Amino acid sequence: MRMMEKMRPALFGVLGLTALAAGTMNMGCAQAAPHGARVKSSSSAGLPAASYTAEQADRGAETYKEACAVCHGPALGGAFDAPPLKGRFVANWSDGPLSDLFTYMSGAMPLSSPGALSAEDNADILAFLLRENGVAAGKTALPTTAAALGKVRFPKVDVQKQPPLAPETTPGTAPR
């Protein structure tokens, strides 16, 4: 028993360093693919606003639940270190070529398996994100290539008209 009492501070020290190292490694992974970081391409002046279909956004909602909600939350409110995909997110991407966001998503998401989703899945999720950020559906589906999406822009959305978004979890807690 005395031996355990003597070892307890050392044991807790080792456990604390292990937890710190694991947290640092986890943060490094999250920082390797910064969420929502916009890589600007060319000017979007004169590009028409993107169009998507309701069916495409519905498919995107299902794929989002499977591949994205674990990090970004079921209601796009963000969770843990992942940012919300409403509100400020729109300001980062709006009025730019939709290819910017599509290319980012295709190469960096989902964080656990970057590039694992098909071009169709990414276009569907993009349609879902447009819908959830107040962009009305149209009659034409979003294209599934960066080249074609470079010819349309993420519509400018008035973030002030969107309801405030509360995070779905507190950092360091599990989603409910």
Side-chain angles (χ1 to χ4, degrees), residues 41-68:
S41 63
S42 60
S43 170
S44 64
L47 293 179
S51 177
Y52 67 91
T53 64
E55 295 80 16
Q56 190 176 31
D58 290 343
R59 286 192 312 267
E62 290 304 312
T63 306
Y64 176 89
K65 284 180 196 173
E66 296 168 11
C68 313

Side-chain angles (χ1 to χ4, degrees), residues 115-164:
L117 297 175
S118 69
E120 291 79 15
D121 286 341
N122 280 307
D124 290 349
I125 292 169
L126 202 46
F128 170 66
L129 294 177
L130 288 170
R131 180 178 76 191
E132 295 303 301
N133 280 283
V135 178
K139 294 182 181 193
T140 307
L142 280 176
T144 59
T145 66
L149 288 166
K151 297 177 182 172
V152 294
R153 65 180 168 77
F154 192 120
K156 194 158 185 113
V157 177
D158 187 354
V159 179
Q160 302 299 326
K161 290 184 179 178
Q162 290 187 341

